[in-house]
């Protein structure tokens, strides 16, 4: 008999509003061992079939995934909110759903959605411990991986907005203008000709995730 919590599809909307579904429980299996490839009904896992989040195909999950598919190909932002408020919410950009068959018997068909290791400093998403239950929302708007995005900087008068191209995880540039950080533990700095003129107020993996002093703003832009 299938075990675990059932998935409840709460609603689905478009035009920038989130699709919301509730009660999926994390069975996180990080290691690439053959004995770890099975996904229980009512659960999902990650990093087992490459850099993916994977769900067993069953009617309640299919209703969710097929609706996401109906929105069209592309990447979308998924938000995993633990039902335990003491745990952290996790946002992940996931690619278009695809299918594969589990390796171990009974070889259940699964859905899998790829993510970028670059979005998490070269590692996997920092999910909470096994058994964590999540409410999940999906923004139907198309997006891109954070690690392939550019950053739109505004607030440097009188020159207007600038879109800076990513060089690596610590540097974006437009001509003589740069947005950079020394390492992953430091704030972002916006500079021109190597002269800094504003620094972010907070540390974040990407410039648009940091807070900036007014009137400066940083916005994610998909190329």
């Amino acid at each position: 008999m299938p075990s675990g919590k059932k998935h409840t599809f709460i609603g689905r909307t478009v035009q920038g509003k989130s699709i919301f579904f509730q009660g999926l429980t994390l069975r996180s299996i990080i290691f690439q061992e053959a004995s770890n490839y099975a996904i229980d009904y009512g659960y999902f896992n990650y990093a087992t079939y490459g850099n993916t989040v994977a769900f067993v195909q069953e009617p309640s999950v299919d209703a969710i995934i097929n609706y996401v598919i109906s929105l069209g190909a592309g990447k979308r932002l998924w938000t995993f909110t633990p039902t335990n408020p003491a745990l952290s919410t996790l946002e992940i950009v996931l690619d278009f759903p695809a299918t594969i068959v589990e390796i171990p018997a009974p070889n259940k068909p699964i859905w899998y959605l790829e993510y970028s290791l670059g979005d998490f400093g070269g590692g996997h998403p920092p999910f909470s411990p096994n058994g964590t239950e999540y409410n999940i929302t999906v923004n139907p708007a198309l997006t891109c991986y954070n690690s392939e995005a550019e950053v739109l900087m505004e607030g440097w008068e009188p020159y207007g907005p600038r879109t800076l191209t990513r060089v690596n995880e610590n540097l974006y540039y437009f001509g003589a203008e740069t947005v950079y950080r020394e390492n992953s533990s430091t704030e972002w700095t916006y500079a021109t000709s190597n002269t800094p003129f504003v620094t972010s107020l907070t540390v974040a993996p990407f410039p648009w995730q940091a807070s900036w002093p007014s009137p400066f703003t940083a916005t994610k832009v998909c190329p």
Side-chain angles (χ1 to χ4, degrees):
M1 292 293 291
S3 62
K5 290 184 176 295
K6 290 295 183 181
H7 310 356
T8 302
F9 186 44
I10 303 300
R12 54 193 192 190
T13 56
V14 290
Q15 297 180 344
K17 296 182 180 179
S18 294
I19 306 160
F20 175 71
F21 38 102
Q22 184 180 53
L24 295 177
T25 301
L26 172 64
R27 175 66 58 85
S28 64
I29 300 171
I30 301 172
F31 303 102
Q32 304 294 320
E33 299 175 25
S35 60
N36 285 344
Y37 277 81
I39 309 173
D40 291 344
Y41 288 95
Y43 290 79
F44 69 91
N45 69 15
Y46 71 101
T48 301
Y49 294 89
N51 305 323
T52 70
V53 175
F55 307 84
V56 176
Q57 292 187 26
E58 56 175 304
S60 54
V61 173
D62 294 348
I64 296 164
I65 298 296
N66 285 329
Y67 181 69
V68 173
I69 290 173
S70 77
L71 297 173
K75 304 177 182 75
R76 291 178 170 85
L77 181 65
W78 291 56
T79 301
F80 294 74
T81 305
T83 55
N84 180 352
L87 300 176
S88 297
T89 293
L90 182 60
E91 292 186 337
I92 310 177
V93 175
L94 295 177
D95 210 340
F96 198 64
T99 62
I100 197 171
V101 175
E102 279 192 331
I103 291 173
N107 308 117
K108 299 188 293 289
I110 64 172
W111 298 105
Y112 70 96
L113 302 94
E114 294 184 348
Y115 55 80
S116 168
L117 294 180
D119 283 11
F120 303 97
H124 296 289
F127 278 110
S128 296
N130 291 354
T132 299
E133 186 177 75
Y134 290 86
N135 292 327
I136 304 175
T137 58
V138 182
N139 190 320
L142 289 172
T143 187
C144 57
Y145 292 136
N146 289 331
S147 53
E148 65 187 6
E150 300 172 335
V151 58
L152 173 67
M153 297 300 301
E154 298 182 79
W156 184 32
E157 300 299 339
Y159 298 100
R162 295 281 198 251
T163 299
L164 290 83
T165 301
R166 177 184 166 95
V167 177
N168 56 48
E169 66 273 15
N170 297 319
L171 176 65
Y172 298 76
Y173 83 100
F174 173 84
E177 297 173 38
T178 56
V179 173
Y180 68 90
R181 59 181 180 175
E182 296 299 325
N183 55 61
S184 60
S185 299
T186 60
E187 295 82 1
W188 290 95
T189 296
Y190 187 19
T192 183
S193 299
N194 297 318
T195 301
F197 54 87
V198 66
T199 299
S200 68
L201 300 173
T202 57
V203 175
F206 297 93
W208 54 88
Q209 295 175 340
S211 297
W212 292 82
S214 181
F216 291 93
T217 61
T219 305
K220 176 180 176 179
V221 176
C222 291

